[in-house]
Amino acid sequence: MSAAQHPAVSVIMPVLDEERHLRNSVRHILEQEYAGEMEVVIALGPSTDRTDEIAAELVREDPRVHTVPNPTGRTPAALNAAIKASRHPIVVRVDGHGMLSPNYIATAVRLLEETGAQNVGGIMHAEGENAWEDAVAAAMTSKIGVGNAAFHTGGQAGPAETVYLGVFRREALEKADGYNVEFIRAQDWELNFRIREAGGLIWFSPELKVQYRPRPSIKALAKQYKDYGRWRHVVARYHSGSINLRYLAPPTAVCAITAGIVVGAALTPWAFVVPAGYAAAIVAGSVPAGKGLSLKARAQIPVALATMHMSWGYGFLTSPRSLAKKVIASRRPAVTV
């Protein structure tokens, strides 16, 4: 096959406190079934674990691996630094706890050519390494956990608002001037919005799969989903019309359950029907989600679901309007594609 069919690829990785998964993640990149030239650029935040040491070892072991500093530790700044330091026409985003399937890059390059898209992406396939992570993975890939989000649960290939991670044409990233650094979360959505706003195509395909390692504790999962909810409300204020019932379900549940507990304690025990009904629903929903898992993992799925729902809803409800105003003020013009 010609060089045009195997264009050179730059893989960019924003990394912070990833000692547990970084080496394995990079291994999945370097062992890709792809005939084209490849480089890996790791943007190193101020980690408090052995991440920097592991990255240095990877650089010594393979000339295709490079590092750049990201003193802010923020994901969009890391991505921009890695893009600037990279040089190839196709740019693949990978996180430090993501594991690419063997033909991920080859498939993505083919899809870019077939669809004419500016960015293609696929499924965030959560997989755990212990009972708790298995429970979180089951929650994250079930409709009761994340609704109908295709990049979590799968679906038909086609145009999409956004995709998980993404494989970009470099010219799209350069014309966009990279990621908006004000979006600490939801930076993928914001960039893809600008590309779509200018007429570019974002393409989802279930052929593309990235193994994702869930957060290792309830506290870490709660923080992750609180941040998701907080920044989804920023997105809703940033782009009116981007909200739908799936996004409103968690904050509605938080309000209803809180009201049920308060009214039940103060006025009538009948109000406890609301939180009891929610608890029954997630227990029932966890049964099909836990198929094939250990008893210990299945028992923890309702805890994972409640943590995700309540944290997301709380983050959405408490997202400060001032944050949205700051982000809206930083809005960049649409990308010309």
Side-chain angles (χ1 to χ4, degrees):
M1 297 182 75
S2 68
Q5 292 171 302
H6 294 299
V9 169
S10 296
V11 181
I12 59 172
M13 302 182 71
V15 169
L16 180 69
D17 291 329
E18 289 288 0
E19 70 171 355
R20 182 179 173 193
H21 300 300
L22 180 59
R23 176 171 287 278
N24 198 24
S25 182
V26 172
R27 179 179 64 81
H28 279 76
I29 297 167
L30 298 177
E31 294 179 357
Q32 282 289 295
E33 298 170 0
Y34 185 67
E37 184 181 353
M38 185 190 306
E39 66 175 351
V40 181
V41 182
I42 304 172
L44 294 170
S47 295
T48 57
D49 59 12
R50 293 188 61 252
T51 295
D52 287 8
E53 295 174 42
I54 294 169
E57 292 170 1
L58 292 168
V59 170
R60 289 194 296 270
E61 294 165 6
D62 197 304
R64 292 173 292 177
V65 180
H66 315 280
T67 61
V68 292
N70 173 37
T72 70
R74 294 182 171 185
T75 300
L79 291 166
N80 286 343
I83 292 167
K84 185 177 180 180
S86 65
R87 54 196 173 91
H88 295 321
I90 304 298
V91 179
V92 181
R93 175 183 171 176
V94 181
D95 286 342
H97 46 271
M99 315 294 161
L100 300 185
S101 52
N103 62 348
Y104 181 90
I105 291 177
T107 302
V109 170
R110 172 177 60 80
L111 289 171
L112 284 172
E113 180 63 27
E114 289 177 355
T115 65
Q118 303 298 311
N119 180 22
V120 300
I123 295 174
M124 178 184 181
H125 185 66
E127 290 187 359
E129 296 182 327
N130 54 47
W132 165 251
E133 291 180 2
D134 285 342
V136 176
M140 291 180 70
T141 53
S142 69
K143 289 191 175 181
I144 191 173
V146 295
N148 60 352
F151 69 84
H152 280 297
T153 61
Q156 295 296 315
E161 282 191 359
T162 191
V163 290
Y164 179 56
L165 301 180
V167 178
F168 297 85
R169 300 179 189 271
R170 175 174 292 277
E171 61 261 29
L173 292 172
E174 290 177 345
K175 289 175 180 176
D177 195 23
Y179 290 81
N180 186 331
V181 295
E182 295 296 340
F183 275 80
I184 308 306
R185 297 278 187 180
Q187 64 274 161
D188 298 303
W189 185 94
E190 192 276 336
L191 174 60
N192 287 318
F193 168 72
R194 286 187 282 126
I195 293 174
R196 289 187 294 105
E197 194 178 34
L201 176 64
I202 310 300
W203 189 265
F204 166 82
S205 173
E207 291 184 77
L208 298 172
K209 183 181 290 187
V210 181
Q211 292 181 5
Y212 168 88
R213 297 293 184 246
R215 295 298 193 269
S217 67
I218 293 177
K219 181 179 179 181
L221 182 67
K223 183 181 185 305
Q224 178 187 21
Y225 272 79
K226 184 189 75 172
D227 288 345
Y228 282 168
R230 174 186 174 112
W231 281 92
R232 194 62 188 80
H233 204 164
V234 172
V235 166
R237 288 166 170 157
Y238 174 87
H239 178 51
S240 59
S242 68
I243 203 71
N244 58 41
L245 292 178
R246 175 166 68 90
Y247 296 124
L248 293 176
T252 301
V254 169
C255 291
I257 290 168
T258 301
I261 293 173
V262 171
V263 173
L267 297 176
T268 170
W270 284 104
F272 286 120
V273 168
V274 176
Y278 171 77
I282 62 171
V283 169
S286 71
V287 174
K291 187 177 180 181
L293 297 182
S294 68
L295 180 61
K296 185 176 180 181
R298 293 201 302 269
Q300 295 181 83
I301 293 175
V303 178
L305 287 169
T307 301
M308 291 162 57
H309 293 162
M310 296 299 102
S311 300
W312 202 103
Y314 176 79
F316 188 94
L317 290 168
T318 59
S319 181
R321 189 173 294 273
S322 59
L323 179 58
K325 289 181 178 178
K326 180 181 179 182
V327 168
I328 291 168
S330 74
R331 178 168 176 167
R332 301 177 182 184
V335 184
T336 302
V337 295

